[in-house]
Amino acid sequence: MNAIIVSALLGVVMMFSGIFTTNKTIIKNIATVGVLVLLAANLMEMYNLFSFDINTHDLIVTQRYGLFFNCIAYGATFIYLVLSASDITEVGVNVAEYFALIFFVLCGVAIISSFNGLLMLFIGVEILSIPLYILTGADKRNLKSNEASLKYFLMGAFSTGVMLMGIALMYGATGNFGMVHNAGIRGVITASQQPPYLLVAGVLLLFASMSFKVSAAPFHFWTPDVYDGAPSVFTSFMSTIVKAAGMLAFIRVFENQYMVLGPTWHIIVDFAIVTTLLIGNITAVFQQSVKRMLAYSSIAQAGFMLFALYANNTEIAKEGMLLYAAAYSLATISIFAVLIKLQDYTLDGFNGLAKKEPVLAFAATVSLLSLSGIPLTAGFFAKYYVLAGAMQAGGALWLIIVAVLLAAVSVYYYFRVIQAMYFKAGDPETLPISGGFKAALIGVAALIVILGIWPSALLSWLYF
Amino acid sequence: MIPVLLLFIPLVAGILGFFIKEQKAASNWAIVASVVTLLTAVIGIYAMPASMHQFEASWLPNIGASFSVALDGMSKMLVLLTAISMPLIFIATRNNNYTNPGVFYALMLLAQSGLIGVFISMDALLFYFFWELALIPVYFLSSIWGGEKRIAVTFKFFIYTFIGSLLMLVGILFVYLHTKDQSFAWSSFTNTDLLSGQETLPFILFFIAFAIKMPIFPLHTWQPDAYEQAPTATTMVLSGVMVKMGLFAVIRWVLPLFPVASSAFAMPIVILSVIGMIYASLIAIQQDDIKRLIAYSSIAHIGLMAAAIFAGDTLGLQGVQVQMFNHGINVIGLWILANAIESTLGTRKLSELGGLATKAPTMAILFVVLAFANIALPLTNAFIGEFLLFNGLFQYNIWIAAVAGVSIILGAIYTLQMVQKVLFGEVSVVTANATEINSYSKWVLIVIVIAVIALGVYPQPLIDLTKDSVNALLVIK
């Protein structure tokens, strides 16, 4: 509960801070401290020190797992703000509002990690999404940003409709908004051999709309355009923390719901994984713009995260989801932080970066190695855990082999950036880079390596 | 404790090396670090009790992976090879100049650390870690300091090996889920509840990774290009030590883990290896570039070792281990010569060379001895190794041994042709002003040549070093 209340309050605080001061640095600092406060509040609940006691009639149930996910999301947001807050203040004039919207998104994250019923899921997903439509269009004078925002909004609204339809059908079949482990619904399934068609249709619609939210194929079409059009700072936020939260919602809502689909479930998830991996990886190979490449890469990474969905409920897959969220967020936030500092987002724009800004190039390299899943970086263990989870759950070996082969494809496009930075000559123009920024980048790189050697550093928090 | 030291001396030295800016200083630093590693290895292997040869620490207890390293019979030989190779390489190429020398030598030392890690890990996940980590420094070394086509060629090499290692990872996971105690330890891996029919799949997954690394025909296409384009010092590491990773991994991980599948697939693999030997030898005859010639000759030699491993005979296995060491130092010698010729004369083309025997007599003598070792003439170290290998192959299948024997003749053809074109014949325009090779290379070559002859006359120390490992393998079988 703490996270939901504090993040909502902080959002309001940020909104009003815009009235009292126009000093960007102050606003930025309030937001950064705000995230720390939020993190502290969440930790307090995690360690049973203090929590708001509100009777939600079981609509919200906080669990260690969800609270820990909040910590990862807020920790990643903190790193994101440290690296990129000053770039957020450059996007437009209404600086305070951007931060306010970010806090509202974090409120959505908190709801998603603790919902206990389809109604709260819906509210959480919407609280998460609506601020993003605005942030995407934050660069008001840029046509691409406007287009992206409109596209995202229209398609997002449509997918919301689909989700509501699904929830309504499920409600119709079962008579309540609970999830499958709810006794009432389980009764409906087991009473008749074949679950009612309404329920099946509802679950399928829910699957489609959740796929949309995490940009899993074949509902990924909005992703490249929106990620490309949105101001880069916000793309960074959307493609990491928000995406991980969406994935968490996906996994939590299907934790038991998959039973409704019976054996068809695996066919559907197999299809989603393979197409997502294929489309993400293969299309990314052909991109000339690094920003667009990262958009496709985020589709590809979603494909790997879907393995956690595939392996529903195995311990290792649940841990893997957390690790994946952390590893992927850290790496992508840091590579976007570097990207923002460059004027030219094409591959050639990275030429010779290692000579000019060795620290930036080094941090970007560590991030890219992590994204491609090379050992000694967090990305390796993230991939390892989700794949091991899928295998433990009796997953088909062909699916895993396809996944690792496509991971080898991903090396191709990630390494092209490394090649541009280190092996090609050029003189890239960069925005002014402060010493603090470099130190923070090195810190993130160190974190990626530490998680790559010793993932228990993160995961043991789940239990202690 | 010794294996940990062997791992961390080059690692720490490498990390510190990044901060050295000056050429000579960086080179000295690398030489000192590698000599210290060598001393540690020699003292550790010969003078320390066996209790010092193992180390185990907790790493990821919840998934059953531990930091477990050991210097056992299988790894001693290759650790020794790695430790000896690096100082030889650093000294022989001391006159080469690099941009950013500190980074170059640092990456070389990191590669050494990764290689030693591959040889000593007794935990599958740790092994996988080092398997990849040995690759990353080499990727940067070749891509930054290599030849004209370096970026594309090295990338091909990288992707090839990376695909292989990802498949191996799936294999590791598969075996892991079948271990009795959910552990990655080598001892658990060799003692799984896999039924003999279930071995096939993980065997293939593991073997592809190692076959790419060796490389076995038809997965060898990355190799000649990579050898040609990499800076010579890196090529020495690649062909002297790194290709042995594949052979070693088969002995350590494939034979004991999948004995049934290994013998079931032995015939096709032996045949592929022999095809590769003949094929590589035939191509080597046509080569005009010294580096490419040595690269193809190396494929032929590795093919023989791969065939002998799967022919599965005690003596043959011992021969493979002996030969891995011998091939390592011999091929490094040949690369040193190629490097010396290229850096003094500016060409590697056989057609442009000639008559160097009169211009550089010392080099000519060293060259000829190494060439003889490359054809495995008696009195050179390669003889005893190849003898054991062919003996194993002969007992496995006489026809295959006969076909493989043709490669000896082909080997003599391309090697002697190279000697002839480089050392004898008319003095060409390029070689008119040739001088003796520099003293660093010369002394390293002299050391190598002494080793070639000494181990050729008295190979017993090498054979002793491998004995317990082969016995251990037979126990498992």
Side-chain angles (χ1 to χ4, degrees):
Chain A
M1 261 345 260
N2 283 2
I4 300 175
I5 293 168
V6 174
S7 58
L9 284 177
L10 281 166
V12 177
V13 168
M14 288 315 299
M15 229 155 40
F16 282 99
S17 71
I19 299 174
F20 297 111
T21 175
T22 48
N23 185 332
K24 289 175 176 177
T25 322
I26 296 179
I27 294 176
K28 184 179 89 179
N29 290 341
I30 297 176
T32 315
V33 173
V35 174
L36 284 180
V37 170
L38 182 55
L39 189 60
N42 190 58
L43 279 171
M44 276 195 209
E45 184 168 358
M46 203 164 133
Y47 290 98
N48 296 322
L49 293 174
F50 165 80
S51 60
F52 293 100
D53 187 20
I54 297 168
N55 186 2
T56 57
H57 299 281
D58 269 355
L59 283 174
I60 297 275
V61 175
T62 49
Q63 283 166 336
R64 180 95 184 195
Y65 186 80
L67 291 173
F68 187 60
F69 179 84
N70 286 351
C71 287
I72 292 175
Y74 299 157
T77 312
F78 174 69
I79 290 169
Y80 163 71
L81 288 181
V82 167
L83 284 173
S84 304
S86 50
D87 298 296
I88 296 177
T89 60
E90 301 301 319
V91 173
V93 277
N94 309 314
V95 176
E97 285 168 19
Y98 304 145
F99 291 108
L101 290 168
I102 286 176
F103 278 108
F104 289 137
V105 171
L106 293 183
C107 180
V109 171
I111 297 178
I112 274 180
S113 66
S114 59
F115 70 87
N116 184 41
L118 298 172
L119 207 55
M120 281 319 274
L121 164 77
F122 178 73
I123 292 174
V125 168
E126 284 312 293
I127 293 182
L128 188 81
S129 307
I130 292 172
L132 291 182
Y133 305 144
I134 308 169
L135 288 177
T136 308
D139 192 0
K140 274 191 226 162
R141 291 178 208 293
N142 184 341
L143 262 185
K144 262 178 97 182
S145 171
N146 283 326
E147 186 200 327
S149 176
L150 189 63
K151 201 176 236 173
Y152 193 18
F153 176 63
L154 287 178
M155 296 186 75
F158 186 68
S159 119
T160 302
V162 171
M163 178 187 272
L164 267 184
M165 182 74 187
I167 293 175
L169 290 181
M170 288 166 76
Y171 181 79
T174 61
N176 66 38
F177 285 121
M179 300 199 288
V180 168
H181 57 264
N182 176 309
I185 301 178
R186 187 160 284 181
V188 175
I189 297 177
T190 45
S192 55
Q193 283 291 331
Q194 173 76 27
Y197 292 121
L198 269 186
L199 187 61
V200 174
V203 169
L204 282 176
L205 287 177
L206 195 61
F207 188 91
S209 67
M210 287 314 299
S211 298
F212 175 89
K213 295 291 174 203
V214 300
S215 65
F219 304 99
H220 64 281
F221 290 98
W222 59 277
T223 316
D225 290 343
V226 171
Y227 283 11
D228 197 19
S232 302
V233 261
F234 297 135
T235 310
S236 170
F237 185 64
M238 277 158 68
S239 66
T240 53
I241 296 146
V242 175
K243 179 162 232 168
M247 197 53 89
L248 181 77
F250 203 167
I251 290 170
R252 289 199 59 216
V253 77
F254 277 91
E255 209 165 32
N256 294 293
Q257 223 83 334
Y258 74 95
M259 291 177 208
V260 172
L261 296 174
T264 333
W265 161 253
H266 267 178
I267 301 178
I268 296 172
V269 184
D270 284 3
F271 176 77
I273 291 178
V274 171
T275 43
T276 308
L277 284 171
L278 258 179
I279 290 172
N281 283 309
I282 304 290
T283 325
V285 167
F286 300 102
Q287 302 308 315
Q288 287 308 315
S289 152
V290 174
K291 194 176 170 189
R292 224 177 150 77
M293 182 274 275
L294 285 170
Y296 282 105
S297 118
S298 96
I299 299 179
Q301 302 281 350
F304 265 101
M305 282 189 249
L306 283 176
F307 272 108
L309 178 70
Y310 181 96
N312 30 35
N313 272 332
T314 57
E315 202 59 33
I316 192 160
K318 281 177 119 177
E319 290 179 3
M321 171 62 209
L322 293 176
L323 195 59
Y324 215 109
Y328 170 67
S329 299
L330 284 178
T332 310
I333 287 172
S334 124
I335 183 94
F336 263 107
V338 173
L339 182 77
I340 294 162
K341 298 292 179 193
L342 291 173
Q343 298 291 326
D344 182 0
Y345 288 171
T346 61
L347 262 179
D348 291 336
F350 278 79
N351 283 356
L353 188 66
K355 260 230 166 71
K356 196 164 178 209
E357 293 289 347
V359 175
L360 265 65
F362 173 75
T365 304
V366 172
S367 307
L368 289 164
L369 291 178
S370 178
L371 286 174
S372 27
I374 306 275
L376 215 65
T377 60
F380 166 72
F381 271 115
K383 283 205 169 72
Y384 167 80
Y385 268 77
V386 291
L387 289 182
M391 242 170 146
Q392 215 164 37
L397 206 61
W398 68 266
L399 189 67
I400 289 156
I401 292 178
V402 167
V404 297
L405 288 179
L406 286 168
V409 172
S410 79
V411 168
Y412 178 81
Y413 53 83
Y414 290 132
F415 272 56
R416 281 213 307 187
V417 183
I418 298 180
Q419 288 173 351
M421 291 190 296
Y422 280 92
F423 313 144
K424 292 189 178 158
D427 187 24
E429 270 182 56
T430 55
L431 299 173
I433 293 159
S434 68
F437 176 75
K438 285 185 186 170
L441 271 183
I442 292 287
V444 176
L447 214 53
I448 291 176
V449 173
I450 290 171
L451 285 182
I453 297 174
W454 203 47
S456 310
L458 179 79
L459 292 176
S460 58
W461 290 74
L462 185 54
Y463 305 104
F464 306 109
Chain B
M1 245 3 250
I2 299 294
V4 180
L5 283 179
L6 288 174
L7 199 61
F8 280 93
I9 293 170
L11 181 70
V12 173
I15 291 170
L16 294 176
F18 277 110
F19 302 103
I20 300 175
K21 293 269 175 282
E22 214 240 324
Q23 171 74 40
K24 284 285 170 242
S27 168
N28 289 340
W29 175 248
I31 291 171
V32 169
S34 58
V35 169
V36 171
T37 316
L38 174 60
L39 290 177
T40 317
V42 172
I43 295 172
I45 289 173
Y46 288 104
M48 293 284 176
S51 59
M52 296 288 280
H53 288 175
Q54 279 176 3
F55 182 81
E56 188 163 354
S58 164
W59 179 28
L60 299 168
N62 47 343
I63 59 170
S66 62
F67 182 84
S68 162
V69 289
L71 260 181
D72 61 352
M74 279 181 236
S75 52
K76 271 179 197 162
M77 180 72 86
L78 284 162
V79 167
L80 208 57
L81 172 65
T82 318
I84 291 175
S85 305
M86 296 310 278
L88 293 181
I89 293 169
F90 287 138
I91 296 170
T93 57
R94 198 170 143 77
N95 278 359
N96 293 13
N97 282 313
Y98 305 100
T99 48
N100 292 332
V103 180
F104 181 88
Y105 287 105
L107 288 171
M108 290 286 279
L109 288 170
L110 292 185
Q112 182 187 14
S113 175
L115 283 165
I116 290 182
V118 168
F119 298 138
I120 61 178
S121 3
M122 295 302 284
D123 180 283
L125 200 63
L126 193 67
F127 170 77
Y128 181 80
F129 251 64
F130 286 121
W131 181 269
E132 294 276 326
L133 289 186
L135 183 62
I136 302 279
V138 171
Y139 170 73
F140 279 94
L141 282 168
S142 301
S143 293
I144 299 179
W145 289 277
E148 234 169 86
K149 292 182 289 177
R150 61 188 190 277
I151 298 180
V153 164
T154 315
F155 201 30
K156 180 176 167 188
F157 161 53
F158 186 86
I159 298 250
Y160 242 111
T161 354
F162 192 63
I163 290 177
S165 37
L166 283 172
L167 291 178
M168 169 169 76
L169 181 65
V170 179
I172 289 178
L173 266 173
F174 187 93
V175 179
Y176 165 68
L177 292 174
H178 282 91
T179 51
K180 287 170 186 153
D181 50 352
Q182 296 289 294
S183 147
F184 283 100
W186 186 76
S187 49
S188 311
F189 262 50
T190 48
N191 186 22
T192 55
D193 54 7
L194 278 176
L195 302 172
S196 54
Q198 287 175 306
E199 278 183 9
T200 311
L201 195 69
F203 170 81
I204 292 173
L205 292 170
F206 271 83
F207 184 71
I208 290 177
F210 304 150
I212 290 174
K213 202 79 179 187
M214 282 184 221
I216 284 186
F217 177 86
L219 299 171
H220 64 282
T221 54
W222 60 268
Q223 200 204 39
D225 290 338
Y227 282 13
E228 185 190 355
Q229 295 295 325
T232 312
T234 308
T235 312
M236 293 176 198
V237 178
L238 268 173
S239 70
V241 187
M242 217 162 177
V243 289
K244 312 297 187 300
M245 274 164 67
L247 294 164
F248 166 82
V250 169
I251 298 178
R252 165 86 92 204
W253 295 97
V254 172
L255 295 186
L257 263 62
F258 318 114
V260 179
S262 303
S263 64
F265 280 88
M267 191 48 113
I269 292 171
V270 169
I271 290 176
L272 274 183
S273 310
V274 172
I275 292 177
M277 284 166 70
I278 304 287
Y279 171 83
S281 305
L282 286 174
I283 297 184
I285 293 176
Q286 330 257 333
Q287 292 306 314
D288 191 36
D289 184 310
I290 298 183
K291 271 184 135 180
R292 286 188 84 85
L293 193 150
I294 302 175
Y296 279 108
S297 130
S298 184
I299 296 182
H301 285 116
I302 299 287
L304 177 60
M305 292 181 228
I309 290 179
F310 281 93
D313 159 66
T314 323
L315 278 177
L317 272 179
Q318 249 175 322
V320 171
Q321 302 212 24
V322 171
Q323 190 62 358
M324 281 200 275
F325 184 87
N326 289 333
H327 177 258
I329 59 169
N330 293 358
V331 83
I332 287 175
L334 286 173
W335 288 120
I336 293 173
L337 282 165
N339 176 52
I341 289 170
E342 187 184 6
S343 58
T344 51
L345 302 176
T347 180
R348 299 192 305 251
K349 296 223 176 305
L350 290 176
S351 51
E352 293 174 15
L353 297 168
L356 274 182
T358 50
K359 297 284 178 184
T362 322
M363 186 199 86
I365 294 169
L366 298 167
F367 199 148
V368 170
V369 176
L370 283 170
F372 285 162
N374 200 41
I375 349 180
L377 283 190
L379 284 189
T380 64
N381 59 353
F383 171 72
I384 181 69
E386 288 216 348
F387 175 77
L388 290 170
L389 299 184
F390 271 106
N391 184 37
L393 213 51
F394 187 78
Q395 285 172 12
Y396 178 68
N397 184 316
I398 189 164
W399 292 106
I400 291 180
V403 175
V406 174
S407 79
I408 302 185
I409 302 170
L410 295 174
I413 295 177
Y414 61 72
T415 311
L416 294 179
Q417 214 174 40
M418 173 173 77
V419 170
Q420 187 189 348
K421 284 184 179 166
V422 174
L423 298 181
F424 306 112
E426 297 278 307
V427 174
S428 73
V429 189
V430 181
T431 53
N433 303 318
T435 50
E436 199 56 86
I437 54 173
N438 69 63
S439 53
Y440 293 119
S441 297
K442 191 169 74 188
W443 284 107
V444 171
L445 281 173
I446 287 173
V447 170
I448 291 179
V449 163
I450 290 173
V452 164
I453 294 171
L455 292 173
V457 179
Y458 185 61
Q460 200 55 37
L462 287 181
I463 296 175
D464 286 344
L465 210 53
T466 65
K467 208 184 286 164
D468 38 335
S469 74
V470 177
N471 290 341
L473 263 182
L474 289 178
V475 169
I476 290 163
K477 274 192 165 178

